Coordinates of all heavy atoms in Angstrom, one line a residue:
M73 N 5.0 -6.0 -4.2 CA 5.0 -4.7 -3.7 C 4.0 -3.8 -4.5 O 3.9 -4.0 -5.7 CB 6.4 -4.0 -3.7 CG 6.3 -2.6 -3.1 SD 7.9 -1.7 -3.1 CE 7.8 -1.0 -4.7
A74 N 3.4 -2.9 -3.9 CA 2.5 -2.0 -4.6 C 2.7 -0.6 -4.0 O 2.9 -0.4 -2.8 CB 1.1 -2.4 -4.5
L75 N 2.6 0.4 -4.9 CA 2.5 1.8 -4.5 C 1.1 2.3 -4.8 O 0.7 2.1 -6.0 CB 3.5 2.7 -5.2 CG 5.0 2.4 -4.9 CD1 5.9 3.1 -5.8 CD2 5.3 2.7 -3.4
I76 N 0.4 2.8 -3.9 CA -1.0 3.2 -4.1 C -1.2 4.6 -3.7 O -0.9 5.0 -2.6 CB -2.0 2.3 -3.3 CG1 -1.7 0.8 -3.5 CG2 -3.4 2.7 -3.6 CD1 -2.4 -0.1 -2.5
K77 N -1.6 5.5 -4.7 CA -1.8 6.9 -4.5 C -3.3 7.1 -4.3 O -4.1 6.7 -5.1 CB -1.3 7.7 -5.7 CG -1.3 9.2 -5.4 CD -0.9 10.0 -6.6 CE 0.6 9.8 -6.8 NZ 1.1 10.7 -7.9
V78 N -3.6 7.7 -3.1 CA -5.0 8.0 -2.8 C -5.2 9.5 -2.6 O -4.3 10.2 -2.2 CB -5.5 7.2 -1.5 CG1 -5.5 5.7 -1.7 CG2 -4.6 7.5 -0.3
K79 N -6.5 9.9 -2.8 CA -6.8 11.4 -2.6 C -6.7 11.7 -1.2 O -7.2 11.0 -0.3 CB -8.2 11.6 -3.1 CG -8.4 11.4 -4.6 CD -9.9 11.7 -5.0 CE -10.1 11.4 -6.4 NZ -11.5 11.6 -6.8
A80 N -6.0 12.9 -0.9 CA -5.9 13.3 0.5 C -7.2 13.9 1.0 O -7.5 13.6 2.2 CB -4.7 14.4 0.6
E81 N -7.8 14.7 0.2 CA -9.0 15.4 0.7 C -10.2 14.4 0.9 O -11.1 14.7 1.7 CB -9.4 16.5 -0.2 CG -9.8 16.1 -1.6 CD -8.6 16.0 -2.6 OE1 -7.5 16.3 -2.2 OE2 -8.8 15.6 -3.7
A82 N -10.2 13.3 0.3 CA -11.3 12.3 0.4 C -11.0 11.3 1.4 O -11.8 10.4 1.7 CB -11.6 11.7 -0.9
T83 N -9.8 11.4 2.1 CA -9.4 10.3 3.0 C -9.3 10.8 4.4 O -8.3 11.5 4.7 CB -8.1 9.7 2.5 OG1 -8.2 9.5 1.1 CG2 -7.7 8.4 3.2
P84 N -10.2 10.5 5.3 CA -10.0 10.8 6.7 C -8.8 10.2 7.3 O -8.5 9.0 7.1 CB -11.3 10.3 7.4 CG -12.2 9.9 6.3 CD -11.4 9.7 5.1
A85 N -7.9 11.0 7.9 CA -6.6 10.6 8.3 C -6.7 9.3 9.3 O -5.9 8.4 9.1 CB -5.9 11.7 9.0
P86 N -7.5 9.3 10.3 CA -7.6 8.1 11.1 C -8.0 6.8 10.4 O -7.4 5.8 10.6 CB -8.7 8.4 12.2 CG -8.7 9.9 12.2 CD -8.4 10.3 10.7
R87 N -8.9 6.9 9.4 CA -9.3 5.7 8.7 C -8.1 5.3 7.8 O -7.8 4.1 7.7 CB -10.5 6.0 7.8 CG -11.0 4.8 7.1 CD -12.4 4.9 6.6 NE -12.8 3.7 6.0 CZ -13.7 3.5 5.2 NH1 -14.4 4.6 4.8 NH2 -14.0 2.4 4.6
R88 N -7.5 6.2 7.1 CA -6.4 5.9 6.2 C -5.3 5.2 6.9 O -4.8 4.2 6.6 CB -5.9 7.1 5.4 CG -4.8 6.9 4.5 CD -4.1 8.2 3.9 NE -3.7 9.1 5.0 CZ -4.3 10.2 5.3 NH1 -5.4 10.6 4.7 NH2 -3.9 10.9 6.3
S89 N -4.8 5.9 8.0 CA -3.7 5.3 8.8 C -4.0 4.0 9.4 O -3.2 3.1 9.5 CB -3.2 6.3 9.8 OG -4.2 6.6 10.8
G90 N -5.3 3.8 9.8 CA -5.7 2.5 10.3 C -5.6 1.4 9.3 O -5.1 0.3 9.6
I91 N -6.0 1.7 8.1 CA -5.9 0.7 7.0 C -4.4 0.4 6.7 O -4.0 -0.8 6.6 CB -6.6 1.1 5.7 CG1 -8.1 1.2 6.0 CG2 -6.3 0.2 4.6 CD1 -8.9 1.9 4.9
V92 N -3.6 1.4 6.6 CA -2.2 1.3 6.3 C -1.5 0.5 7.4 O -0.8 -0.5 7.2 CB -1.5 2.7 6.2 CG1 0.0 2.5 6.1 CG2 -2.1 3.4 5.0
D93 N -1.8 0.7 8.7 CA -1.2 0.0 9.8 C -1.6 -1.5 9.8 O -0.8 -2.3 10.1 CB -1.6 0.6 11.1 CG -1.0 2.0 11.4 OD1 0.0 2.3 10.6 OD2 -1.4 2.7 12.3
I94 N -2.9 -1.8 9.6 CA -3.4 -3.1 9.6 C -2.6 -4.0 8.5 O -2.3 -5.1 8.8 CB -4.9 -3.2 9.3 CG1 -5.6 -2.7 10.5 CG2 -5.3 -4.6 8.9 CD1 -7.1 -2.5 10.3
F95 N -2.3 -3.4 7.4 CA -1.6 -4.1 6.3 C -0.1 -3.9 6.4 O 0.6 -4.3 5.5 CB -2.1 -3.7 5.0 CG -3.5 -4.2 4.7 CD1 -4.6 -3.6 5.1 CD2 -3.6 -5.5 4.1 CE1 -5.9 -4.1 4.8 CE2 -4.9 -6.0 3.8 CZ -6.0 -5.3 4.2
R96 N 0.4 -3.3 7.5 CA 1.8 -3.1 7.7 C 2.4 -2.3 6.5 O 3.5 -2.5 6.1 CB 2.6 -4.4 7.9 CG 2.2 -5.0 9.2 CD 3.1 -6.2 9.5 NE 2.7 -6.9 10.7 CZ 2.4 -8.1 10.8 NH1 2.6 -8.9 9.7 NH2 2.0 -8.7 11.9
G97 N 1.6 -1.3 6.0 CA 2.1 -0.5 4.9 C 2.8 0.7 5.5 O 3.0 0.9 6.7
K98 N 3.2 1.6 4.6 CA 3.9 2.8 5.0 C 3.6 3.9 4.0 O 3.5 3.8 2.8 CB 5.4 2.5 4.9 CG 6.3 3.6 5.3 CD 7.8 3.1 5.5 CE 8.4 2.8 4.2 NZ 9.9 2.5 4.4
V99 N 3.3 5.1 4.6 CA 3.1 6.3 3.8 C 4.4 6.8 3.4 O 5.3 7.1 4.2 CB 2.3 7.4 4.5 CG1 2.2 8.6 3.7 CG2 0.9 6.9 4.9
V100 N 4.7 6.8 2.1 CA 6.0 7.2 1.6 C 6.1 8.6 0.9 O 7.2 9.1 0.7 CB 6.6 6.1 0.6 CG1 6.9 4.8 1.3 CG2 5.7 5.9 -0.6
D101 N 4.9 9.2 0.7 CA 4.9 10.5 0.1 C 3.6 11.2 0.5 O 2.5 10.5 0.5 CB 5.0 10.5 -1.4 CG 5.1 11.8 -2.0 OD1 6.0 12.6 -1.6 OD2 4.4 12.2 -3.0
V102 N 3.6 12.5 0.7 CA 2.5 13.2 1.1 C 2.5 14.5 0.3 O 3.5 15.2 0.2 CB 2.4 13.6 2.6 CG1 1.2 14.4 3.0 CG2 2.4 12.3 3.4
S103 N 1.4 14.9 -0.3 CA 1.2 16.2 -0.9 C -0.1 16.8 -0.5 O -0.9 16.1 0.1 CB 1.3 16.0 -2.5 OG 0.1 15.6 -3.0
P104 N -0.4 18.0 -0.8 CA -1.7 18.6 -0.4 C -2.9 17.8 -1.0 O -4.0 17.9 -0.5 CB -1.6 20.0 -1.0 CG -0.2 20.3 -1.1 CD 0.5 19.0 -1.4
T105 N -2.7 17.1 -2.1 CA -3.8 16.5 -2.8 C -3.8 15.0 -2.7 O -4.8 14.3 -3.0 CB -3.8 16.9 -4.3 OG1 -2.6 16.5 -4.9 CG2 -4.1 18.3 -4.5
S106 N -2.6 14.4 -2.3 CA -2.6 12.9 -2.3 C -1.6 12.3 -1.3 O -0.7 13.1 -0.8 CB -2.2 12.4 -3.7 OG -0.9 12.8 -4.0
Y107 N -1.8 11.1 -1.0 CA -0.8 10.3 -0.2 C -0.4 9.1 -1.0 O -1.3 8.5 -1.7 CB -1.5 9.7 1.1 CG -1.8 10.8 2.1 CD1 -3.0 11.6 2.0 CD2 -0.9 11.0 3.1 CE1 -3.3 12.6 3.0 CE2 -1.2 12.0 4.1 CZ -2.4 12.8 4.0 OH -2.6 13.7 4.9
T108 N 0.8 8.7 -0.9 CA 1.3 7.5 -1.6 C 1.7 6.5 -0.5 O 2.4 6.7 0.4 CB 2.5 7.7 -2.5 OG1 2.1 8.7 -3.5 CG2 2.9 6.5 -3.2
I109 N 1.1 5.3 -0.6 CA 1.2 4.2 0.4 C 2.0 3.1 -0.3 O 1.7 2.7 -1.4 CB -0.2 3.7 0.8 CG1 -0.9 4.9 1.5 CG2 0.0 2.5 1.7 CD1 -2.4 4.7 1.6
E110 N 3.0 2.6 0.4 CA 3.7 1.4 0.0 C 3.3 0.2 0.8 O 3.2 0.3 2.0 CB 5.2 1.6 0.2 CG 6.1 0.4 -0.1 CD 7.5 0.6 0.4 OE1 8.2 1.6 -0.2 OE2 8.0 -0.1 1.2
V111 N 3.0 -0.9 0.1 CA 2.6 -2.1 0.8 C 3.3 -3.3 0.1 O 3.4 -3.3 -1.1 CB 1.1 -2.3 0.9 CG1 0.4 -2.4 -0.4 CG2 0.7 -3.4 1.8
T112 N 3.8 -4.2 0.9 CA 4.4 -5.4 0.4 C 3.6 -6.7 0.9 O 3.0 -6.7 1.9 CB 5.8 -5.6 0.8 OG1 5.9 -5.6 2.2 CG2 6.7 -4.4 0.2
G113 N 3.6 -7.7 0.0 CA 3.0 -8.9 0.4 C 2.5 -9.7 -0.8 O 2.8 -9.3 -1.9
D114 N 1.8 -10.8 -0.5 CA 1.3 -11.6 -1.7 C 0.1 -10.9 -2.4 O -0.3 -9.9 -1.9 CB 1.0 -13.0 -1.2 CG -0.2 -13.0 -0.2 OD1 -1.0 -12.1 -0.1 OD2 -0.3 -14.0 0.6
E115 N -0.3 -11.5 -3.4 CA -1.3 -11.0 -4.3 C -2.6 -10.7 -3.5 O -3.2 -9.7 -3.7 CB -1.6 -11.9 -5.5 CG -1.9 -11.2 -6.7 CD -2.0 -12.2 -7.9 OE1 -1.1 -13.1 -8.0 OE2 -3.0 -12.1 -8.7
K116 N -3.0 -11.6 -2.7 CA -4.2 -11.5 -1.9 C -4.2 -10.3 -1.0 O -5.2 -9.6 -0.8 CB -4.6 -12.7 -1.1 CG -5.0 -13.9 -2.0 CD -5.4 -15.1 -1.2 CE -5.8 -16.2 -2.2 NZ -6.3 -17.3 -1.5
K117 N -3.0 -10.0 -0.3 CA -2.9 -8.9 0.6 C -3.0 -7.6 -0.2 O -3.7 -6.7 0.2 CB -1.5 -9.0 1.3 CG -1.3 -7.9 2.2 CD 0.1 -8.0 2.9 CE 0.4 -6.9 3.9 NZ 1.7 -7.0 4.6
I118 N -2.3 -7.5 -1.4 CA -2.4 -6.3 -2.2 C -3.8 -6.1 -2.7 O -4.3 -4.9 -2.6 CB -1.4 -6.4 -3.4 CG1 0.0 -6.7 -2.9 CG2 -1.5 -5.2 -4.3 CD1 0.7 -5.6 -2.1
E119 N -4.5 -7.1 -3.1 CA -5.9 -7.0 -3.5 C -6.8 -6.5 -2.4 O -7.7 -5.7 -2.6 CB -6.4 -8.3 -4.1 CG -5.8 -8.6 -5.5 CD -6.1 -10.0 -6.0 OE1 -7.0 -10.7 -5.3 OE2 -5.6 -10.4 -7.0
A120 N -6.5 -7.0 -1.2 CA -7.4 -6.7 0.0 C -7.2 -5.2 0.4 O -8.2 -4.5 0.6 CB -7.0 -7.5 1.2
I121 N -6.0 -4.7 0.4 CA -5.8 -3.3 0.8 C -6.3 -2.4 -0.4 O -6.9 -1.3 -0.1 CB -4.4 -2.9 1.1 CG1 -4.3 -1.5 1.8 CG2 -3.4 -3.0 0.0 CD1 -3.0 -1.1 2.4
T122 N -6.1 -2.8 -1.6 CA -6.7 -2.0 -2.7 C -8.2 -1.9 -2.7 O -8.7 -0.8 -2.9 CB -6.2 -2.7 -4.1 OG1 -4.8 -2.7 -4.1 CG2 -6.7 -1.9 -5.2
E123 N -8.8 -3.0 -2.3 CA -10.3 -3.0 -2.2 C -10.8 -2.0 -1.1 O -11.7 -1.3 -1.3 CB -10.8 -4.4 -1.9 CG -12.3 -4.5 -1.9 CD -12.8 -6.0 -1.7 OE1 -12.1 -6.9 -2.3 OE2 -13.7 -6.2 -0.9
L124 N -10.1 -2.0 0.0 CA -10.4 -1.1 1.1 C -10.2 0.4 0.8 O -10.9 1.2 1.1 CB -9.7 -1.5 2.4 CG -10.1 -2.7 3.1 CD1 -9.2 -3.1 4.3 CD2 -11.6 -2.6 3.6
L125 N -9.0 0.6 0.1 CA -8.7 2.0 -0.3 C -9.5 2.5 -1.4 O -9.6 3.7 -1.6 CB -7.2 2.1 -0.6 CG -6.3 1.9 0.6 CD1 -4.8 1.8 0.1 CD2 -6.4 2.9 1.6
Q126 N -10.1 1.6 -2.2 CA -11.0 2.0 -3.4 C -12.0 3.0 -2.9 O -12.3 4.0 -3.6 CB -11.6 0.8 -4.0 CG -12.2 1.1 -5.4 CD -11.1 1.3 -6.4 OE1 -10.1 0.6 -6.4 NE2 -11.3 2.3 -7.3
H127 N -12.6 2.8 -1.8 CA -13.7 3.7 -1.3 C -13.2 5.1 -0.9 O -13.9 6.0 -0.7 CB -14.4 3.0 -0.1 CG -15.1 1.8 -0.5 ND1 -14.5 0.5 -0.4 CD2 -16.3 1.5 -1.1 CE1 -15.3 -0.4 -0.9 NE2 -16.4 0.2 -1.3
L128 N -11.9 5.2 -0.7 CA -11.3 6.4 -0.3 C -10.7 7.2 -1.4 O -10.2 8.3 -1.2 CB -10.1 6.1 0.8 CG -10.6 5.4 2.0 CD1 -9.4 5.1 2.9 CD2 -11.7 6.1 2.7
G129 N -10.8 6.7 -2.6 CA -10.4 7.5 -3.8 C -9.0 7.2 -4.3 O -8.1 8.0 -4.1
I130 N -8.8 6.0 -4.9 CA -7.5 5.7 -5.5 C -7.3 6.5 -6.8 O -8.1 6.5 -7.6 CB -7.4 4.2 -5.8 CG1 -7.4 3.4 -4.5 CG2 -6.1 3.9 -6.6 CD1 -7.3 1.9 -4.6
I131 N -6.1 7.1 -6.9 CA -5.7 7.9 -8.0 C -4.9 7.0 -9.0 O -5.1 7.0 -10.2 CB -4.9 9.1 -7.7 CG1 -5.7 10.0 -6.8 CG2 -4.4 9.8 -8.9 CD1 -4.9 11.1 -6.1
E132 N -4.0 6.2 -8.4 CA -3.1 5.4 -9.2 C -2.5 4.3 -8.4 O -2.3 4.4 -7.2 CB -1.9 6.3 -9.7 CG -0.9 5.7 -10.6 CD 0.2 6.7 -11.0 OE1 0.2 7.9 -10.5 OE2 1.1 6.3 -11.8
I133 N -2.3 3.2 -9.1 CA -1.6 2.0 -8.5 C -0.5 1.5 -9.4 O -0.7 1.4 -10.6 CB -2.6 0.8 -8.3 CG1 -3.8 1.2 -7.5 CG2 -1.9 -0.4 -7.8 CD1 -4.9 0.2 -7.4
V134 N 0.6 1.2 -8.8 CA 1.8 0.6 -9.5 C 2.2 -0.6 -8.7 O 2.4 -0.6 -7.5 CB 3.0 1.6 -9.5 CG1 4.2 1.0 -10.2 CG2 2.6 2.9 -10.2
R135 N 2.2 -1.8 -9.4 CA 2.6 -3.0 -8.7 C 3.8 -3.7 -9.4 O 4.1 -3.5 -10.6 CB 1.4 -4.0 -8.9 CG 0.2 -3.6 -8.1 CD -1.0 -4.5 -8.3 NE -0.7 -5.8 -7.8 CZ -1.7 -6.7 -7.5 NH1 -2.9 -6.4 -7.8 NH2 -1.4 -7.8 -7.0
T136 N 4.5 -4.4 -8.6 CA 5.6 -5.2 -9.1 C 5.2 -6.7 -9.1 O 4.2 -7.1 -8.5 CB 6.9 -5.1 -8.2 OG1 6.6 -5.7 -6.9 CG2 7.3 -3.7 -8.1
G137 N 6.0 -7.5 -9.7 CA 5.8 -8.9 -9.7 C 6.6 -9.5 -8.5 O 7.2 -8.8 -7.7
K138 N 6.8 -10.8 -8.5 CA 7.5 -11.5 -7.5 C 9.0 -11.1 -7.7 O 9.5 -11.1 -8.8 CB 7.3 -13.0 -7.5 CG 5.9 -13.4 -7.2 CD 5.8 -14.9 -7.3 CE 4.3 -15.3 -6.9 NZ 4.1 -16.7 -7.0
A139 N 9.7 -10.9 -6.6 CA 11.1 -10.7 -6.6 C 11.7 -11.5 -5.4 O 11.2 -11.5 -4.3 CB 11.4 -9.2 -6.4
A140 N 12.9 -12.1 -5.7 CA 13.5 -12.9 -4.7 C 15.0 -12.9 -5.0 O 15.5 -12.7 -6.1 CB 13.0 -14.3 -4.7
I141 N 15.8 -13.2 -3.9 CA 17.2 -13.5 -4.0 C 17.6 -14.6 -3.1 O 17.0 -14.7 -2.0 CB 18.0 -12.2 -3.7 CG1 19.5 -12.3 -4.0 CG2 17.8 -11.8 -2.3 CD1 20.2 -11.0 -4.0
A142 N 18.5 -15.5 -3.5 CA 18.9 -16.6 -2.7 C 19.6 -16.1 -1.5 O 20.4 -15.1 -1.5 CB 19.8 -17.5 -3.5
R143 N 19.4 -16.8 -0.4 CA 20.1 -16.5 0.9 C 21.5 -17.0 0.8 O 21.8 -18.1 0.2 CB 19.3 -17.1 2.1 CG 18.0 -16.4 2.2 CD 17.3 -17.0 3.4 NE 17.9 -16.4 4.6 CZ 17.5 -16.7 5.8 NH1 16.5 -17.5 6.0 NH2 18.1 -16.2 6.9
S144 N 22.4 -16.4 1.5 CA 23.8 -16.8 1.6 C 23.9 -18.1 2.5 O 23.1 -18.2 3.4 CB 24.7 -15.8 2.1 OG 24.7 -14.6 1.3
K145 N 24.9 -18.9 2.2 CA 25.1 -20.1 3.1 C 25.7 -19.7 4.4 O 26.5 -18.7 4.5 CB 26.0 -21.1 2.4 CG 25.5 -21.7 1.2 CD 26.4 -22.7 0.6 CE 25.9 -23.3 -0.7 NZ 26.8 -24.3 -1.3
K146 N 25.3 -20.4 5.5 CA 25.9 -20.1 6.8 C 27.2 -20.9 6.9 O 27.3 -22.0 6.5 CB 24.9 -20.6 7.9 CG 23.6 -19.8 8.0 CD 22.8 -20.2 9.1 CE 21.5 -19.4 9.2 NZ 20.6 -19.9 10.3
N147 N 28.2 -20.2 7.5 CA 29.5 -20.9 7.6 C 29.6 -21.6 8.9 O 29.0 -21.3 9.9 CB 30.6 -19.8 7.5 CG 30.7 -19.3 6.1 OD1 30.3 -20.0 5.2 ND2 31.2 -18.1 6.0

């Protein structure tokens, strides 16, 4: 998972939302100066959206490592 904060004023809304939708991301916070986008997936997916958003003005990126939990047995 990654949280990516991008500049609001430098990011045209249709372009930003198009990129977020393609990567099945979600805008989780909005302020007058920035948007925070949450995206989950493997390393290549996170790198790909980061590369596209770089041109729109990334302020900050926070990433997690792999996380998993075992599934329960079916009865």
Side-chain angles (χ1 to χ4, degrees):
M73 181 181 89
L75 296 171
I76 307 168
K77 188 182 288 187
V78 293
K79 294 179 183 177
E81 61 275 358
T83 312
R87 182 161 185 205
R88 181 188 55 254
S89 63
I91 293 170
V92 172
D93 290 345
I94 288 169
F95 285 89
R96 295 190 184 126
K98 183 166 72 169
V99 176
V100 294
D101 186 53
V102 178
S103 79
T105 59
S106 67
Y107 288 86
T108 301
I109 299 162
E110 175 189 298
V111 64
T112 59
D114 62 23
E115 214 172 316
K116 288 184 180 185
K117 180 178 178 180
I118 303 298
E119 289 173 5
I121 192 169
T122 301
E123 187 176 318
L124 288 174
L125 293 173
Q126 193 71 41
H127 298 93
L128 302 178
I130 292 178
I131 299 168
E132 184 178 3
I133 301 174
V134 179
R135 294 176 66 162
T136 65
K138 294 180 181 180
I141 189 168
R143 295 182 71 179
S144 301
K145 292 182 180 181
K146 293 183 180 179
N147 292 333

